[in-house]
Amino acid sequence: ILPFVSVNQILLLLLVLTVCAILYNKVHQVPSVLKNETVDLESPEEMEEEIPVVICAAAGRMGAAIAAISSIYSNTEANVLFYIVGLKTTIPHIRKWIENSKLKEIKFKVVEFNPMVLKGKIRQDASRPELLQPLNFVRFYLPLLVQKHEKVIYLDDDIIVQGDIQELFDTKLAPGHAAAFSDDCDLPSTHEMVRSVGMQNTYMGFLDYRKQAIRDLGISPSTCSFNPGVIVANMTEWKHQRITKQLEKWMQRNVEENLYSSTLGGGVATSPMLIVFHGKYSTINPMWHIRHLGWSPDTRYSEHFLQEAKLLHWNGRYKPWDYPSVHTDLWENWFIPDPSGKFKLTRPDS
């Protein structure tokens, strides 16, 4: 009998110890994230701030968007999400180009822009028809295209980024400002370029001051203009101030009164922004928008100055994928050939 009793006692003791161990674990439970290394935590990349960059992919100049995206992606460790905006007919081409090149690693969303939103809002301008392409107006509709971000970068396609896009994203916007731009008078190094090609950098170069509606704005014609090819935008303020509605109002007024479409400047896409944002925008570091590289095929910046620049912009008629143009080597460094062969560079020997 004694051995039988001792076995029972041992089993009872083991049972008591097991129950105690279970209770102890319940009370002093170690968080699962500490004891289980395979718990599905957010990866560091997902915890990083996402930088949304909006860029257009227009027919005939898709190589521009590719080079711009390539330059941004290659010069940053930041978590960039590209919103690539195109028309229905161009979207398959740009998607195929990305997915069949080294850009297949980027994070991107392709967004279709419906040109019907522009119906009745654009006055035809025979002098520069390229400025009337629907995608020139994408910047007016940023909150409709990019909905989950507080802060957004918009870039024209004819740019190259040589710095870390995180720096541009960190641009501080003053309270109540929906956007930041670069002033056209902000960098002494560019003044000689502007003078040499006879380019305007004031409101006089964009708005027709013979028209009463323009004079009624009370904006001095000598006020320095800004270039909306690079924008850092606050979506909350943009929506709160109904910026898109204001821009559309000035587009429609131009259709009726021809307020600016035939002037020297950026046609119907820049002028409404100059009106709506007058006195109500923050400024971007001038080195983050070195422009006018496409204004003349004969006038060049110094190579040293361009190496220091964070962002280069070939605004003007002379684009770096065409001929003639200047500083094409800086652009071509980032260009990735079209796998389909549809987009080709125009060069003197081609």
Side-chain angles (χ1 to χ4, degrees):
I1 293 173
L2 281 173
F4 179 76
V5 170
S6 63
V7 170
N8 275 349
Q9 286 174 332
I10 291 167
L11 289 173
L12 184 61
L13 180 62
L14 288 172
L15 181 62
V16 170
L17 288 173
T18 303
V19 170
C20 288
I22 291 169
L23 290 172
Y24 182 88
N25 275 344
K26 286 279 187 189
V27 175
H28 301 276
Q29 194 164 36
V30 183
S32 61
V33 293
L34 297 180
K35 63 180 183 179
N36 181 1
E37 292 181 1
T38 63
V39 168
D40 186 24
L41 287 171
E42 276 192 309
S43 70
E45 185 181 54
E46 287 169 339
M47 293 170 72
E48 278 180 58
E49 187 174 33
E50 203 167 53
I51 298 180
V53 175
V54 177
I55 197 157
C56 296
R61 48 192 288 163
M62 260 180 236
I66 290 291
I69 292 166
S70 170
S71 70
I72 295 163
Y73 180 65
S74 302
N75 287 308
T76 188
E77 295 294 320
N79 182 23
V80 180
L81 173 59
F82 293 97
Y83 283 83
I84 302 168
V85 186
L87 302 180
K88 191 172 186 177
T89 52
T90 60
I91 283 173
H93 186 187
I94 195 76
R95 187 186 290 280
K96 187 175 177 184
W97 197 332
I98 290 169
E99 291 173 351
N100 290 280
S101 73
K102 64 183 182 182
L103 291 181
K104 61 179 178 288
E105 303 297 328
I106 71 170
K107 287 171 63 179
F108 73 101
K109 292 183 178 178
V110 175
V111 182
E112 182 184 338
F113 183 68
N114 184 354
M116 289 305 293
V117 299
L118 302 172
K119 191 173 182 182
K121 301 184 184 79
I122 300 177
R123 185 187 185 93
Q124 295 305 310
D125 181 3
S127 64
R128 298 222 29 213
E130 74 276 12
L131 296 176
L132 300 176
Q133 297 302 319
L135 294 181
N136 281 338
F137 302 92
V138 161
R139 71 197 93 189
F140 289 18
Y141 297 94
L142 291 177
L144 301 179
L145 299 165
V146 181
Q147 294 175 354
K148 66 169 187 169
H149 302 278
E150 168 74 8
K151 197 175 187 183
V152 172
I153 294 173
Y154 166 87
L155 300 174
D156 276 355
D157 60 357
D158 50 356
I159 63 100
I160 288 295
V161 172
Q162 301 186 135
D164 185 341
I165 199 75
Q166 181 77 53
E167 276 183 47
L168 181 60
F169 190 71
D170 290 341
T171 299
K172 294 280 187 291
L173 272 68
H177 285 178
F181 307 96
S182 285
D183 278 323
D184 280 332
C185 309
D186 59 9
L187 203 61
S189 315
T190 66
H191 293 174
E192 184 56 42
M193 170 75 87
V194 170
R195 280 195 296 272
S196 67
V197 295
M199 189 168 43
Q200 292 283 352
N201 61 357
T202 64
Y203 273 55
M204 175 68 87
F206 295 85
L207 307 180
D208 187 348
Y209 277 83
R210 295 169 300 179
K211 300 294 170 66
Q212 189 62 44
I214 297 301
R215 293 200 300 274
D216 287 347
L217 291 168
I219 301 172
S220 166
S222 61
T223 300
C224 185
S225 53
F226 59 81
N227 185 299
V230 176
I231 308 172
V232 181
N234 179 311
M235 293 294 91
T236 302
E237 279 297 334
W238 193 292
K239 288 182 274 194
H240 175 68
Q241 296 178 34
R242 296 168 62 85
I243 297 292
T244 297
K245 287 290 181 194
Q246 291 188 58
L247 292 167
E248 287 184 327
K249 180 190 88 170
W250 282 102
M251 290 169 78
Q252 283 166 328
R253 287 201 69 174
N254 181 57
V255 170
E256 295 157 11
E257 303 172 53
N258 195 19
L259 300 175
Y260 41 75
S261 64
S262 58
T263 54
L264 275 174
V268 289
T270 296
S271 301
M273 298 199 88
L274 291 177
I275 294 171
V276 170
F277 284 102
H278 174 251
K280 294 187 291 188
Y281 65 92
S282 299
T283 53
I284 289 170
N285 178 336
M287 296 306 285
W288 268 101
H289 196 176
I290 302 303
R291 44 210 179 276
H292 318 316
L293 277 78
W295 207 263
S296 162
D298 307 310
T299 312
R300 300 173 66 90
Y301 286 112
S302 79
E303 294 301 326
H304 174 72
F305 175 67
L306 293 182
Q307 283 167 9
E308 297 294 312
K310 306 284 191 178
L311 183 148
L312 306 175
H313 188 184
W314 280 261
N315 59 311
R317 295 173 188 265
Y318 302 98
K319 303 302 185 186
W321 54 91
D322 278 337
Y323 180 82
S325 55
V326 294
H327 304 297
T328 52
D329 54 323
L330 294 173
W331 182 87
E332 219 169 310
N333 281 341
W334 306 107
F335 174 68
I336 299 169
D338 182 358
S340 74
K342 292 177 190 170
F343 181 93
K344 293 183 174 66
L345 302 183
T346 305
R347 295 293 179 253
D349 53 354
S350 62

